[in-house]
Amino acid sequence: MLSRLMSGSVRNLEREFSCTVRLLDDTEYTCTIQRDAKGQYLFDLICHHLNLLEKDYFGIRYVDPDKQRHWLEFTKSISKQMKSQPPFTMCLRVKFYPPDPAALKEEITRYLVFLQLKRDLYHGRLLCKTSDAATLAAYILQAEIGDYDPGKHPEGYSSKFQFFPKHSEKLERRIAEIHKTELMGQTPETSELNFLQKAQMLETYGVDPHPCKDVSGNPAFLAFTPFGFVVLQGNKRVHFLKWNEVTKLKFEGKTFHIYANQKEDKKIILTYFAPTPEACKHLWKCGVENQAFYKLEKSSQVRTVSSSNLFFKGSRFRYSGRVAKEVMEQSAKIKREPPAIHRAGLVPSRSCPSITHGPRLSSVPRTRRRAVHISIMEGLESLRDSAHSTPVRSVSHGDSFIPRSRSQAAEAGDSSAVIADETYSPSDSVLPTPVAEHSLELAVSRQINGAPCSIEEEKESEAGTPMGVEPGELGADSRAAGSLQAAALSEAEQVNKFVLSVLRLLLVTIGLLFVLLLLLIVLTESDLDVAFLRDIRQTPEFEQFHYEYFCPLRRWFACKLRWVGGLLINK
């Protein structure tokens, strides 16, 4: 009896697994779910825990063992999507940024979007001019600590907060000045609303950057926003395509293509190269989902999309969920008492801390920290003051990025608009989400010291780059050699892709011939009395083929088989 109970409990444990989801305020929600549970079940549990109704803007992100990020697909089993073993750790994040976050129906939804944008600001994804950065940070300060109080907030109190990947004393003074003089009396709700309205106006609002390279080998960040497709290089936005201009998204291997039709019937094709095929597929799926969410009028218009023009190759994917217009219509019907919001306040966040314990350490000089940052992002920094634009197959460069709320602004003729004073180098764009605990402690300690948490720095240390060597000392020869090597690798990849395409075509052709042969044998040799087979057998063309071609061919094969059999028997 006891053994049966123990075996039954073991089977139940095998059918269940633990899952931990890190929320936007860095608290954790842990639950036990069935092994065959789908992603929608886990997402509904989290939304119920948060008392969230406007949930279509959010998603669950996880990282596979190869450090590739993915969005959990709600229509598929969780265990089949995860390549690792349970227990699983995931993150709740904003997946589709609302076009107008201030217009969201419920305050709980606005608060969660505020937490996401605050995280984007900290990790360098929400990049902006220094003046805008000071205003955004002051709003965060007002929302978290309230009005300025000389008794509680001594001189230099803003330096204890970490809003950005790196600070300057001038920026800290400006943040404190705005907080003291301009925001007195604002409640947390009002400050968060003002933050959302300010953040929405920025060029990098809603950007979840995907690191890539253009056809010239220059680093770039690709992103999908509520308003269209964006390419960022250096501190400039070099491309912007509205969603109604994007006609097709394709990928093959590590190559990603964007097809678009712009005004005056100009067709352009943008080509970029992702670090890995998995990263390229993730980029493509994100693009397909964002285009469906923001572009379509109804979810019934969603179609299955293929990554290739040929039916026998490539990946197929279909967005499952409501589109933006349907979400806003559904939100307008919400009628309930606003749920209580438990703000994090001064509780320090592990992955996105707002306040640190004690003053920001200054053991590393500011000039040295800036030199390290510039050396890390050498490729992007070289584009900072240039008007470089990714080569395309047309001279058209797209329209200026103007949200609906800024329609009264002047039309910008240059698509290479400067988005910030600094180079766009999001420290979290290539980091896994979530990170391991020991990595978190290291990242937080480095951020407190003012050094950006960039994975590029880790790569440099692993490669054994001598400390103190400036990028310019490596010389033009090494860069030229790298360019030649990259070109050679690109040519080899193209040859490999061509060979693989030919092999696929050959295999499909052989498969079709085999299927036709089986159908022919069924028609000529079987006694199946099926209506459509009987009609085919009675046609004059089939009878002629049967007696003049098939029967002689069959006799020839039988003769050859008897001859081979005789040789084997004689031996």
Side-chain angles (χ1 to χ4, degrees), residues 172-374:
E172 290 168 359
R173 289 194 299 268
R174 179 57 182 157
I175 293 170
E177 180 184 348
I178 296 174
H179 178 238
K180 292 177 184 178
T181 60
E182 300 180 18
L183 305 182
M184 290 291 290
Q186 285 193 9
T187 63
E189 295 83 356
T190 304
S191 297
E192 290 164 5
L193 183 62
N194 291 333
F195 178 92
L196 294 177
Q197 290 173 337
K198 185 70 175 178
Q200 179 215 349
M201 303 295 290
L202 300 177
E203 302 284 357
T204 51
Y205 168 73
V207 165
D208 183 16
H210 299 258
C212 294
K213 290 188 177 180
D214 62 18
V215 293
S216 301
N218 300 307
F221 289 97
L222 277 59
F224 308 101
T225 74
F227 312 101
F229 169 77
V230 179
V231 181
L232 306 170
Q233 286 183 312
N235 65 338
K236 299 178 185 296
R237 188 208 66 239
V238 296
H239 284 295
F240 171 69
L241 298 172
K242 297 178 182 178
W243 282 124
N244 57 4
E245 296 174 344
V246 178
T247 57
K248 189 174 181 62
L249 302 172
K250 287 175 53 180
F251 86 97
E252 184 175 0
K254 295 191 291 185
T255 308
F256 181 69
H257 304 283
I258 306 99
Y259 296 77
N261 290 334
Q262 293 192 311
K263 53 186 177 182
E264 299 178 359
D265 296 329
K266 289 184 179 179
K267 296 183 179 181
I268 67 170
I269 302 175
L270 302 178
T271 300
Y272 293 90
F273 303 96
T276 63
E278 292 75 18
C280 194
K281 184 175 182 180
H282 174 62
L283 172 64
W284 172 72
K285 291 173 71 173
C286 289
V288 170
E289 290 187 312
N290 277 270
Q291 186 178 23
F293 184 81
Y294 294 114
K295 182 179 180 179
L296 300 181
E297 296 288 328
K298 299 178 181 179
S299 55
S300 58
Q301 299 174 340
V302 177
R303 298 289 181 266
T304 301
V305 180
S306 175
S307 64
S308 173
N309 292 328
L310 301 176
F311 71 92
F312 57 84
K313 63 181 294 188
S315 301
R316 296 174 67 81
F317 180 68
R318 180 188 177 93
Y319 166 66
S320 59
R322 291 184 291 189
V323 299
K325 188 174 182 180
E326 292 175 333
V327 173
M328 289 185 286
E329 291 174 351
Q330 191 68 25
S331 297
K333 300 177 182 178
I334 296 177
K335 294 180 180 179
R336 66 169 181 174
E337 288 295 322
I341 299 175
H342 304 285
R343 288 178 168 81
L346 297 180
V347 178
S349 165
R350 291 177 298 175
S351 63
C352 182
S354 287
I355 187 168
T356 61
H357 300 284
R360 176 172 40 81
L361 301 179
S362 57
S363 57
V364 181
R366 291 180 184 275
T367 54
R368 172 59 183 157
R369 292 201 301 271
R370 179 163 177 77
V372 170
H373 180 71
I374 293 176

Side-chain angles (χ1 to χ4, degrees), residues 428-483:
D428 197 41
S429 61
V430 288
L431 284 175
T433 306
V435 296
E437 292 297 327
H438 65 276
S439 301
L440 268 170
E441 295 174 2
L442 176 63
V444 171
S445 65
R446 291 173 60 194
Q447 290 285 7
I448 293 171
N449 282 275
C453 298
S454 173
I455 203 167
E456 298 294 330
E457 185 176 350
E458 297 176 8
K459 291 179 180 178
E460 286 187 2
S461 61
E462 291 174 0
T465 305
M467 292 299 293
V469 178
E470 295 296 327
E473 296 177 8
L474 297 177
D477 293 337
S478 61
R479 289 193 292 271
S483 300

Side-chain angles (χ1 to χ4, degrees), residues 508-522:
V508 170
T509 304
I510 293 173
L512 291 174
L513 291 175
F514 183 71
V515 170
L516 290 175
L517 179 61
L518 290 178
L519 180 61
L520 182 61
I521 292 174
V522 169

Side-chain angles (χ1 to χ4, degrees), residues 138-175:
Y139 284 137
I140 296 174
L141 207 56
Q142 180 70 22
E144 292 197 349
I145 68 174
D147 292 341
Y148 169 71
D149 185 348
K152 296 179 181 179
H153 309 135
E155 186 69 23
Y157 69 100
S158 63
S159 64
K160 298 179 181 180
F161 292 78
Q162 194 73 26
F163 304 105
F164 315 103
K166 56 179 181 177
H167 280 223
S168 68
E169 293 179 357
K170 182 179 178 181
L171 179 58
E172 290 168 359
R173 289 194 299 268
R174 179 57 182 157
I175 293 170

